[in-house]
Amino acid sequence: MDIKDAQLAVDEWIKEHGVRYFNELTNMAQLTEEVGEVARIIARRYGEQSEKESDKDKDLGEELADVVFVVLCLANQTGIDLQEAFDRKMDKKTRRDHQRHHNNEKLK
């Protein structure tokens, strides 16, 4: 599924199951909460913090999908074609960063 199709799927889900979108500020707060859950898993599983027993069954993929879902909601409700924006960003990063990363001594 490409990003455009994902945006449509989220919009259809909201209309069928979610009644309506939360407002943009609520979704921004929800996005922050979801990113925090991702950060908690990564800090404890891959970082130096010890993982609590209650965190061991947390699914990083599911938490990342929660982040994507809320981002898609925000794109939909603000009229952003995220596929177009992402394609532009990839083109810009490719042109801007190709040599920069190859010449970065820290990455060798």
Side-chain angles (χ1 to χ4, degrees), residues 40 44-45 50-58:
R40 179 184 177 102
R44 296 177 190 279
R45 196 165 295 162
S50 59
E51 192 168 24
K52 293 181 178 179
E53 196 61 40
S54 61
D55 290 333
K56 290 185 177 180
D57 290 333
K58 302 274 184 183

Side-chain angles (χ1 to χ4, degrees), residues 48-74:
E48 295 174 343
Q49 286 187 308
S50 59
E51 192 168 24
K52 293 181 178 179
E53 196 61 40
S54 61
D55 290 333
K56 290 185 177 180
D57 290 333
K58 302 274 184 183
D59 183 335
L60 179 57
E62 186 174 329
E63 298 304 333
L64 287 167
D66 285 342
V67 170
V68 171
F69 185 89
V70 179
V71 167
L72 293 171
C73 286
L74 284 165

